[in-house]
Amino acid sequence: MHDVIHLSAFYNRGGAAIAAERLHQGMLQLGVDSAYAVPSAPAEVPSVISIDEMYANAPLWDRAMSRVRYRIIREQFKRYRPTLSHKLELFSDDRMKHPGRATPPNLHAPIFNLHWIAGFVDYRRFFSTLGKGQTVVWTLHDMGPFTGGCHYALGCERFEAACGACFQLGSKDPSDLSARVHARKAQAFSTLAPSDLHIVAPSRWLADEARKSALFGRFPISVIANGIDMSVFAPRDRAQSRQELGLHGDATIVLFVSDLVVNYRKGFDLLEAAVARADLGPKVQTAAIGDVGKSSVFGPGCVSLGRFEDEGRLAAAYSAADVLVLPSRADNLPNVAIEAMACGLPVIAFDVGGIRDIVVDGETGFLVPEADIDALAACLSRTVSDSTFLSAARTRCRTVATRRFDLPKQAQQYLDLYETLRDTPSDSRDRVRQ
């Protein structure tokens, strides 16, 4: 039996999965018997449990029922496709086509740490099969676990009650899919005593949103920031980094990083508009890292560097740039801002979500009003022309990042939490279910 099992819907793709895997590695470095359970992973990766491999030879009946469940879930969402808002990034169901696979009876540990589990863990089946003495820690990476399906509410407050009439689905029906998902989640959590589930939010903003929610408001909530390996994300030689990436040696580089560049929530369109309005001079170049999807069209002076798999190469990009711009419309505690600062790169960002937990305004970068393109343009113009600030900020950024976001610090905070939960018997679950 492991001390803790971390569950994630992806092995190493996307910010949430990367943060989860880093925490798992941090726990291993502390000597904790940690396992990382995912649907599938590269063969023979130590301490990683591939759930799909465990059930590769599942009975024919199980495979048939899985296809039926998947079709039902897909069809219920499909009816909303003609009305979906362009603001919708993700909408996930609480159900899973293999509801019995990633469950406590099949994964043995006193503590489960759920991460981003959409499409991987079936809520009702998972929580209904928790055994006596087993506790769940849920590390939030967005709002999805406590809404009716959206992962960022974008100003909607319906999750504070029961969801329904979801504007992101384009629905006016109070009993729509979002209301049904929310109701099923409420049913799943209703069997739990407050001591059975501990919520961890990486940012104060996300913790506050969880506290306001109808689903998580009665459970204890802690704030533990994400951590990164400071030996990987560290300042590198700028000239060499630019040469490696094919960037102009004497240009001022404005960097944008997102897993998917055209993601509406990440705001690349706002950055392009701000760059067009800013007085940046002829030697400023915008560089974008991430998947461009079906679009490869960038404005004048912007270069696409593609998607980086290697963290060392990403650290080189941060070291090559002069400033990272994070024009997100909503965000939790974005890894890219922490990584950039660890490499000595100041950050300009909209003051949304948990970004203010990272950026020290005026010292390690600047925070500008949400979605204010003119303010972003003005801030960009001032910053790229202020060589004194850029030089001093590099040292300050590294110092702040090392003090606040070092991986061993995050791992130790989780270990302290796990030990506290283990020392607090969770024997009330049977009484709740009676």
Side-chain angles (χ1 to χ4, degrees):
M1 177 183 291
H2 299 285
D3 294 332
V4 58
I5 297 178
H6 299 261
L7 289 89
S8 172
F10 297 97
Y11 171 63
N12 197 22
R13 175 70 191 261
I18 291 171
E21 202 273 338
R22 287 172 177 169
L23 174 59
H24 163 62
Q25 292 297 329
M27 302 307 298
L28 291 175
Q29 292 169 18
L30 290 180
V32 176
D33 184 0
S34 175
Y36 189 43
V38 295
S40 61
E44 299 180 357
V45 178
S47 69
V48 174
I49 302 171
S50 180
I51 299 297
D52 287 351
E53 289 184 10
M54 292 173 58
Y55 292 90
N57 297 315
L60 178 61
W61 172 253
D62 182 50
R63 295 199 300 271
M65 288 303 299
S66 295
R67 286 194 292 269
V68 170
R69 282 189 292 264
Y70 176 71
R71 187 174 297 113
I72 291 172
I73 295 169
R74 183 183 60 186
E75 290 300 317
Q76 289 181 355
F77 177 74
K78 185 178 179 180
R79 59 168 294 193
Y80 296 97
R81 286 179 181 169
T83 60
L84 292 179
S85 168
H86 72 285
K87 297 179 180 180
L88 177 64
E89 177 182 355
L90 291 168
F91 189 97
S92 61
D93 203 282
D94 59 296
R95 297 165 294 178
M96 174 60 187
K97 64 179 181 179
H98 308 297
R101 292 191 178 180
T103 55
N106 298 322
L107 301 169
H108 307 290
I111 293 178
F112 297 100
N113 191 328
L114 305 181
H115 290 271
W116 203 96
I117 58 164
F120 177 44
V121 173
D122 185 277
Y123 284 51
R124 287 190 289 183
R125 181 63 65 89
F126 183 89
F127 289 105
S128 68
T129 55
L130 278 175
K132 186 175 182 179
Q134 290 182 311
T135 303
V136 177
V137 173
W138 201 327
T139 299
L140 304 180
H141 297 278
D142 55 33
M143 299 174 67
F146 55 86
T147 72
C150 71
H151 287 248
Y152 282 90
L154 300 178
C156 175
E157 298 177 346
R158 292 184 180 274
F159 69 92
E160 297 178 18
C163 286
C166 176
F167 87 92
Q168 294 193 55
L169 291 179
S171 168
K172 297 181 180 180
D173 179 7
S175 301
D176 64 11
L177 180 59
S178 71
R180 298 195 298 274
V181 169
H182 193 281
R184 288 195 297 268
K185 289 181 179 180
Q187 182 182 11
F189 301 145
S190 68
T191 64
L192 304 178
S195 60
D196 295 332
L197 175 62
H198 194 103
I199 309 300
V200 176
S203 69
R204 292 173 295 172
W205 165 78
L206 191 55
D208 289 341
E209 295 298 296
R211 291 188 185 101
K212 292 188 294 185
S213 72
L215 295 177
F216 281 172
R218 67 186 181 91
F219 297 106
I221 299 175
S222 301
V223 177
I224 301 178
N226 294 337
I228 63 173
D229 187 337
M230 293 295 167
S231 65
V232 174
F233 291 100
R236 303 187 177 201
D237 182 84
R238 175 182 292 189
Q240 182 178 344
S241 296
R242 291 190 172 196
Q243 185 176 12
E244 290 176 4
L245 297 171
L247 298 171
H248 295 303
D250 60 347
T252 299
I253 305 297
V254 175
L255 185 65
F256 173 89
V257 182
S258 174
D259 188 54
L260 181 63
V261 172
V262 294
N263 184 335
Y264 171 83
R265 180 175 60 83
K266 291 296 186 177
F268 182 71
D269 59 310
L270 301 178
L271 172 59
E272 286 192 305
V275 168
R277 300 182 193 183
D279 181 16
L280 299 180
K283 290 189 176 182
V284 174
Q285 183 177 45
T286 305
I289 295 176
D291 189 343
V292 298
K294 296 180 180 179
S295 173
S296 59
V297 178
F298 291 90
C302 182
V303 58
S304 172
L305 298 178
R307 188 174 182 275
F308 288 7
E309 297 282 353
D310 180 68
E311 290 186 339
R313 192 157 186 243
L314 187 55
Y318 293 133
S319 299
D322 291 278
V323 63
L324 175 79
V325 179
L326 201 63
S328 302
R329 291 177 165 92
D331 230 325
N332 173 23
L333 194 83
N335 293 330
V336 297
I338 298 172
E339 295 163 357
M341 283 177 43
C343 294
L345 184 63
V347 179
I348 297 175
F350 288 132
D351 188 6
V352 300
I355 295 176
R356 62 171 48 223
D357 288 3
I358 305 173
V359 179
V360 182
D361 191 33
E363 295 185 22
T364 64
F366 297 98
L367 297 173
V368 298
E370 179 180 350
D372 189 331
I373 296 174
D374 289 332
L376 180 58
C379 187
L380 266 173
S381 299
R382 290 194 306 270
T383 304
V384 300
S385 62
D386 190 345
S387 58
T388 301
F389 170 81
L390 291 175
S391 178
R394 285 187 172 272
T395 300
R396 290 195 296 261
C397 286
R398 175 66 181 178
T399 300
V400 170
T402 302
R403 183 177 71 246
R404 294 167 55 189
F405 304 110
D406 196 17
L407 180 59
K409 178 179 180 179
Q410 180 203 22
Q412 185 61 54
Q413 288 177 305
Y414 270 93
L415 179 57
D416 293 343
L417 174 61
Y418 295 158
E419 291 178 342
T420 299
L421 296 175
R422 279 200 297 262
D423 293 340
T424 305
S426 179
D427 58 0
S428 56
R429 185 176 297 113
D430 292 336
R431 294 197 298 272
V432 172
R433 287 180 180 168
Q434 290 176 353

